[in-house]
Amino acid sequence: MASAFNTAIKPTSVERLKKYLKTRGISCPQIEQIEGGTANYVFRVIDKDHIPTIFKHAEPYVASSNGAIPLPDDRMDFEAAALRAVPDIMPDDTVVQIPTVSHYDESAKVLRISDAGKTTLKAAYSEPETNVLDIGHQLGEWLATLHTSTKETDIGEEGNPTAKSIYRWSYDHIGQVASEYGLDADFCDYIDNTYGASLSTDDACVCHGDFWPGNIMLNDENVLTVIDWEMCRRGRGELDVAQFAAEAYLLDRFRGGKGLLDAFLPAYRRTWAKTHGDIAVDRQWVKRMAVHMGVHLAFWPACVKWAERDETKAVIELGHELMRRGDAEDLDWLGENLLGALLMRDD
């Protein structure tokens, strides 16, 4: 009876969450809705002992769309499963952590997890006290460990087909952006048909699925927490690397040139090499990583403003060049440009 009643209460606002918690006998004197998210309703709840936790609730649509954009709510099942499985796989002697699950109400799609703080790496990047180089190094090591340790890890039915479908969004729409900026839309169709189409069958390891500085939280103890695992899926690890690399490049270019990209890439390479050989000589790995980084740069700066139109176009053009050079396996060009820190030889 309680479970059915809880399910009927959709915690899409502070008042609704209070009612939901009341049915579970949870008294929380302070609740705030966290702004900035897109897909889910997210709240910080502070209990009577002044301990904060995070509540996430998924509806079968994008929360920020007010129901206009459908999005399967099974994404929360995959996030809960990933947050429970990954800690048993990853080493615990690292400053990079993931949230701890306190409870998951599968019927109501409500996930309660530990609070990782209020500051993202994207927001903290420009602060003088932020040690960007150390953070890039730590994240590169951690991500490589995730990918090399989860070759056989099961995260649920079909490796999260919802996430695989959503991840193709940028491939599906780079042609539109290309047309807007006077670039080759036919080439974008080729990239989508050749590389975007493979996302549904990629199955090399567990990928975070949305690994970028906005999903890395920093706290006062310099602990890094990787949040938002709902897009976690079975896929190819180089796409996680490419997404973070693209966003690191944008931060370095527009927010102060602190070297996040060049700290992250070699740390990933060195950690991967401990068990799986040198990715710098794996032409298919480098090819796929470069193409996806190019797709990211060719699409997202047109959606999220980093600069005025002329400089935005320059970044989009760079994304197109990266796609072309990656597709052609032009490792010389890649090594002399954006991927130098990944492909340089260790002497």
Side-chain angles (χ1 to χ4, degrees):
M1 180 70 71
S3 176
F5 182 65
N6 290 349
T7 303
I9 300 175
K10 301 179 181 297
T12 56
S13 66
V14 169
E15 289 304 313
R16 285 179 172 271
L17 180 59
K18 286 180 179 178
K19 291 179 181 179
Y20 170 85
L21 294 174
K22 186 177 181 180
T23 68
R24 304 190 64 86
I26 300 174
S27 176
C28 295
Q30 185 177 343
I31 301 176
E32 62 174 303
Q33 189 159 358
I34 298 175
E35 304 297 332
T38 301
N40 304 304
Y41 298 93
V42 186
F43 307 87
R44 176 171 286 106
V45 175
I46 301 176
D47 66 18
K48 58 183 178 60
D49 297 319
H50 308 290
I51 298 174
T53 55
I54 300 298
F55 280 76
K56 296 183 68 173
H57 170 60
E59 285 290 318
Y61 55 79
V62 174
S64 62
S65 76
N66 294 317
I69 303 176
L71 182 63
D73 59 9
D74 66 352
R75 62 189 185 275
M76 200 59 64
D77 300 340
F78 285 98
E79 176 158 16
L83 291 179
R84 286 170 169 160
V86 169
D88 293 334
I89 299 167
M90 302 290 287
D92 56 13
D93 58 342
T94 173
V95 299
V96 183
Q97 305 290 329
I98 68 172
T100 301
V101 176
S102 299
H103 180 74
Y104 180 49
D105 183 345
E106 183 175 354
S107 61
K109 306 301 181 191
V110 175
L111 177 65
R112 184 178 188 178
I113 56 177
S114 55
D115 189 347
K118 298 182 179 182
T119 305
T120 68
L121 173 56
K122 182 178 181 180
Y125 175 93
S126 300
E127 297 299 323
E129 65 272 17
T130 303
N131 189 336
V132 167
L133 298 181
D134 183 63
I135 289 172
H137 177 83
Q138 297 288 347
L139 291 174
E141 288 188 344
W142 181 89
L143 188 63
T145 303
L146 174 70
H147 293 158
T148 57
S149 302
T150 58
K151 299 290 186 179
E152 306 298 329
T153 303
D154 182 10
I155 60 166
E157 183 179 358
E158 298 180 21
N160 197 353
T162 295
K164 290 172 182 262
S165 175
I166 292 171
Y167 211 69
R168 194 173 178 179
W169 177 265
S170 55
Y171 287 83
D172 284 340
H173 293 84
I174 49 172
Q176 296 175 19
V177 174
S179 296
E180 179 184 345
Y181 283 85
L183 300 173
D184 188 350
D186 290 339
F187 175 67
C188 294
D189 290 340
Y190 161 75
I191 290 293
D192 179 32
N193 293 331
T194 305
Y195 299 97
S198 70
L199 293 172
S200 62
T201 56
D202 288 341
D203 192 28
C205 64
V206 170
C207 300
H208 176 273
D210 197 13
F211 195 75
W212 72 292
N215 279 337
I216 311 298
M217 307 301 296
L218 287 69
N219 68 12
D220 295 337
E221 288 74 42
N222 294 318
V223 173
L224 305 170
T225 304
V226 183
I227 64 168
D228 282 0
W229 286 74
E230 65 210 53
M231 292 296 105
C232 174
R233 70 189 195 286
R234 295 283 309 178
R236 295 180 63 139
E238 52 264 49
L239 304 192
D240 272 347
V241 177
Q243 180 176 354
F244 190 90
E247 290 289 326
Y249 168 79
L250 291 170
L251 282 172
D252 287 339
R253 177 166 178 160
F254 295 114
R255 298 292 187 268
K258 298 178 76 171
L260 180 59
L261 176 62
D262 287 353
F264 170 74
L265 289 177
Y268 185 97
R269 175 186 173 183
R270 287 192 298 269
T271 304
W272 177 280
K274 291 177 182 178
T275 56
H276 287 69
D278 190 359
I279 54 175
V281 299
D282 184 341
R283 300 180 73 91
Q284 289 303 308
W285 194 101
V286 175
K287 176 180 184 175
R288 192 69 183 88
M289 183 269 175
V291 168
H292 188 70
M293 185 178 178
V295 169
H296 195 96
L297 292 175
F299 177 74
W300 287 106
C303 306
V304 179
K305 184 175 181 179
W306 286 89
E308 298 304 321
R309 183 176 175 87
D310 285 350
E311 197 153 10
T312 297
K313 182 178 181 180
V315 172
I316 293 171
E317 288 174 338
L318 178 61
H320 276 249
E321 187 69 13
L322 193 54
M323 287 189 289
R324 289 186 184 279
R325 299 289 186 165
D327 179 60
E329 299 182 25
D330 188 347
L331 270 62
D332 289 337
W333 185 93
L334 294 172
E336 293 170 0
N337 291 276
L338 292 184
L339 302 189
L342 178 71
L343 298 178
M344 64 182 177
R345 296 182 62 87
D346 291 327
D347 295 323

